[in-house]
Amino acid sequence: MIDALLRRPAGSGEFFADGVRLLCVFSLAAAALWHGPVDVALFLLVLMGTLVSRCLDISRLFDGIYGLTLLAAAWSSVLNLYERVGWWDLPVHFAATAVIAAMTYFLLARLDAVPFPADRAAPALGRFTVPVLVLSLGLAVSVLWELGEWWGHSYVDSTINVGYQDTMGDLAAGGLGSLLAGIVMSVSALRSGTHGRSTLRENPRPLRRLRS
């Protein structure tokens, strides 16, 4: 795992994804200098998430999009965009839950806890099971997110918007996003014709090094 984190990037996709990770470092530094400890913890969590994705054998384009989405969600909180723009909360929940659920699925697949999409030994498995599992992961992430918002409202900042309508809307948006992510993963893997490696698993090097 350490080797996967320290290896030099190769190719435009890896440079893009590592550039996003560098933005995470700069954001963490900015939070430490000009914002409070809660914001520092938030960006530290984002950075840790992007470091985990660097160890996975996935498309580096998706890796970068994943990191940018997490950064957008974090900065939206720091800059109070959720309070300033009433509708902004839903698309962020939709997009962020989608990429987190997909990345969580890839992490579980790395640990052999779930099947990789479009396994040729069971062609229907990836087509139907992957979207359902990614949806389940997305709903779990959404519940944890809402619990975090409730805790933040109760013990950190009472201006954080919580309530029945807000919670149900966020859960629905997160569920739809994760379902779409699961469908895209399944379709992309089935079209690749090689267990999804050409579109979802870009570089086998991190896999071998993680297991060493």
Side-chain angles (χ1 to χ4, degrees), residues 33-57:
L33 290 173
W34 297 297
H35 299 278
V38 174
D39 299 325
V40 171
L42 177 61
F43 283 112
L44 183 60
L45 187 63
V46 170
L47 178 60
M48 291 173 60
T50 61
L51 292 178
V52 170
S53 66
R54 198 179 200 274
C55 299
L56 299 179
D57 182 16

Side-chain angles (χ1 to χ4, degrees), residues 50-73:
T50 61
L51 292 178
V52 170
S53 66
R54 198 179 200 274
C55 299
L56 299 179
D57 182 16
I58 58 174
S59 164
R60 292 302 121 190
L61 176 60
F62 172 63
D63 185 10
I65 293 173
Y66 162 78
L68 284 177
T69 305
L70 296 188
L71 269 180

Side-chain angles (χ1 to χ4, degrees), residues 120-156:
R120 285 180 176 176
L125 188 64
R127 182 177 301 172
F128 300 109
T129 304
V130 171
V132 172
L133 291 177
V134 176
L135 170 62
S136 300
L137 291 170
L139 291 175
V141 168
S142 295
V143 169
L144 292 176
W145 192 332
E146 294 307 306
L147 286 174
E149 288 187 351
W150 167 82
W151 182 86
H153 172 82
S154 300
Y155 301 104
V156 179

